[in-house]
Amino acid sequence: MKKLIIAGLAILTFSACQDLTEFNKDPKSPSAVEASSLVANATVDLFDFMTSTNVNTNNFRLWAQHWTETTYTDEANYDLITRNVNGGTWNTLYAGIIADFREAARLIEADEKLIADYKSSQLAQTEVMQVFAFHVLVDIFGDIPYSQAFNGEIVAPAYDNDADIYSDLIVRLDAAIAGFKGDATGLGDADLVYGGDVVLWKKFANSLKLKLAIRIADVDPGKAKTMAEAAVAAGVFTSNDDNFKLDYLSATPNTNPLWVDIIQSNRNDFVAANTLVDYMNDLVDPRLDQYYQDKKEVIVGADTVLQYLGGDYGANSPYAQFSKIGDKLIDPTFPGMLMDYSEVAFLLADAAERGFSVGATAEESYNAGITASMEYWGVDGGDITTYLASEKVAYTTAAGTWREKIALQKWIAMYNQGFEAYTTYRIYDAPVLNIAATAQVPTPTRFTYPVTEYSLNGPSVTAAASAIGGDAKTSKVFWDAN
């Protein structure tokens, strides 16, 4: 009896000193998440989204006409509705990626124990990533919710003008660049790209600034010139060592999503598109062996030769009849890429042609862009030299205007950056892309707004559609002035 009383008193004493709600918490699902975990998670989500070829979430390798589909060809024919591609894109960027970076920034700001330089640099890092994500949203849709987007008291946020959003993103980016302090962010391994290296983060931020400058160059050349020259003076990418890439791992769930979409899923949904293959065959581009595999017998003149063969873009293209996606891309460890030196070099070539003082001629940067891409894909140095000297490639002899020359080579180089390849076409209206075989329409210039926006935020999205000239795939983002 005495033992029971003592046991009862012990339970009462424990209960009085312990908040019993603690027992209702699942230790495997913490209610509080560290900022570093949110940064890492949002980074992976952004790379996964931009890298994936899952038809439900990312069709840009198709819209760039680097790949085409075998059996189900809706997405290659620009169908956004059947699989809610535009809605998936909208939700992934807003509710997932940007929301996580914002919450990480809130936690970093609230951390009173964090060293001042670390706090400043970590906030700068999350800000740069938000700027990147928002510029993608604008480039996809045009006008979007921005100033009211994350205001919890506003259930139907207004849409901001896309040019105004870009102006604010540029201000935010400049402030973020100034916010990087010291040599390290203090995030260490939680920074999955640069391991907390502030010098490399500044290079990426300035390279992003250069990208935004060239985006607006046709509509605001004065501002673009100031931005581009400032970015180059502060330091942009100078080699492939600077590339903003994510090294995936060999085991799930940390593999490259291309491996998941193609190999793990055991799908034969994609083959080479004739658009890119035909250009590269004509140029005798040595990257073909890296981009694709499985040559086919093709009649050229009176001869039968082995060469890469792409399916007609947008048509049903039986898997066995056409060249396949290259081995490198379906390796689970193949890195995801958001921005590389090749892209920066082509941006510099564009800037030089516009008369901006960026430290190199257009031809030098054009050659650097091609070289960086080929080196990244493992092309032999002698083959690079031969390619650059080709009459069809050399800057002084290649066909077309400077815009067309840069566009073609940048579009080819952006093979692992489908969104940037598609956007390159929109910026320059080059190279010439094919009419989608089934839809019989040219390449769209934007995504239409998600269907859910019309049911949940009807007045705002209707006003936005009117402002951009109609919620059509042929309406244009503000910088698409040509």
Side-chain angles (χ1 to χ4, degrees), residues 60 136 138-142 215 218 403 419-430 433 443-447 475-477 479-482:
F60 294 118
V136 171
V138 172
D139 289 356
I140 293 172
F141 292 101
R215 285 283 204 272
D218 286 334
R403 296 175 68 94
F419 173 74
E420 192 60 31
Y422 162 62
T423 302
T424 295
Y425 164 75
R426 292 186 291 161
I427 292 170
Y428 298 107
D429 292 316
L433 300 185
T443 306
T445 49
R446 66 178 285 274
F447 276 17
S475 297
K476 291 186 175 184
V477 177
W479 46 252
D480 190 359
N482 294 312

Side-chain angles (χ1 to χ4, degrees), residues 347-398:
L347 295 172
L348 291 172
D350 180 303
E353 281 287 3
R354 296 175 190 273
F356 301 172
S357 299
V358 290
T361 66
E363 181 177 4
E364 289 169 341
S365 292
Y366 170 89
N367 289 341
I370 295 171
T371 300
S373 173
M374 290 196 169
E375 288 177 345
Y376 180 79
W377 289 95
V379 175
D380 179 77
D383 290 336
I384 298 175
T385 300
T386 300
Y387 185 80
L388 289 173
S390 166
E391 183 178 354
K392 292 182 178 181
V393 175
Y395 200 67
T396 54
T397 56

Side-chain angles (χ1 to χ4, degrees), residues 209-260:
K209 182 175 179 177
L210 174 64
K211 181 205 288 268
L212 299 185
I214 300 304
R215 285 283 204 272
I216 68 171
D218 286 334
V219 294
D220 194 343
K223 186 173 184 178
K225 182 177 189 294
T226 300
M227 287 174 60
E229 291 177 352
V232 171
V236 296
F237 290 173
T238 55
S239 77
N240 282 325
D241 291 338
D242 299 329
N243 291 350
F244 196 79
K245 65 183 179 68
L246 178 67
D247 292 320
Y248 286 104
L249 305 179
S250 59
T252 55
N254 301 308
T255 57
N256 187 307
L258 295 180
W259 179 84
V260 176

Side-chain angles (χ1 to χ4, degrees), residues 4 14 24 54 66 82 84 213 222 342 358 428 433 477:
L4 291 174
F14 177 80
N24 292 324
N54 186 308
H66 288 176
T82 300
N84 191 32
S342 178
V358 290
Y428 298 107
L433 300 185
V477 177

Side-chain angles (χ1 to χ4, degrees), residues 146-346:
Y146 179 72
S147 59
Q148 297 180 358
F150 289 92
N151 186 329
E153 297 179 358
I154 299 176
V155 296
Y159 282 56
D160 293 76
N161 173 270
D162 50 5
D164 292 342
I165 296 171
Y166 249 60
S167 293
D168 191 64
L169 292 177
I170 291 164
V171 171
R172 291 174 63 176
L173 185 58
D174 279 339
I177 292 169
F180 284 111
K181 306 294 183 183
D183 298 322
T185 65
L187 284 171
D189 291 342
D191 174 2
L192 301 176
V193 179
Y194 290 142
D197 189 322
V198 164
V199 173
L200 289 174
W201 270 102
K202 286 181 179 178
K203 279 192 173 184
F204 171 59
N206 279 298
S207 298
L208 178 56
K209 182 175 179 177
L210 174 64
K211 181 205 288 268
L212 299 185
I214 300 304
R215 285 283 204 272
I216 68 171
D218 286 334
V219 294
D220 194 343
K223 186 173 184 178
K225 182 177 189 294
T226 300
M227 287 174 60
E229 291 177 352
V232 171
V236 296
F237 290 173
T238 55
S239 77
N240 282 325
D241 291 338
D242 299 329
N243 291 350
F244 196 79
K245 65 183 179 68
L246 178 67
D247 292 320
Y248 286 104
L249 305 179
S250 59
T252 55
N254 301 308
T255 57
N256 187 307
L258 295 180
W259 179 84
V260 176
D261 298 337
I262 297 172
I263 302 301
Q264 187 184 51
S265 301
N266 195 28
R267 305 281 303 194
N268 296 326
D269 292 333
F270 305 103
V271 292
N274 64 332
T275 318
L276 180 56
V277 169
D278 290 351
Y279 274 112
M280 295 181 76
N281 276 330
D282 181 60
L283 297 172
V284 195
D285 194 313
R287 287 168 290 190
L288 271 166
D289 290 331
Q290 308 301 321
Y291 286 10
Y292 303 111
Q293 60 180 310
D294 192 12
K295 291 182 177 180
K296 303 295 181 181
E297 289 188 349
V298 178
I299 297 175
V300 179
D303 300 320
T304 299
V305 299
L306 279 176
Q307 69 177 33
Y308 293 101
L309 181 65
D312 288 345
Y313 182 75
N316 182 286
S317 301
Y319 188 74
Q321 295 181 19
F322 299 99
S323 298
K324 316 300 187 294
I325 309 309
D327 279 336
K328 282 188 176 181
L329 282 91
I330 54 178
D331 183 326
T333 65
F334 186 65
M337 188 76 70
L338 292 194
M339 195 171 192
D340 64 8
Y341 173 52
S342 178
E343 179 185 350
V344 169
F346 286 116

Side-chain angles (χ1 to χ4, degrees), residues 115-126:
I115 296 172
D117 280 0
Y118 284 177
K119 176 176 287 192
S120 183
S121 294
Q122 289 177 22
L123 289 172
Q125 180 175 331
T126 60

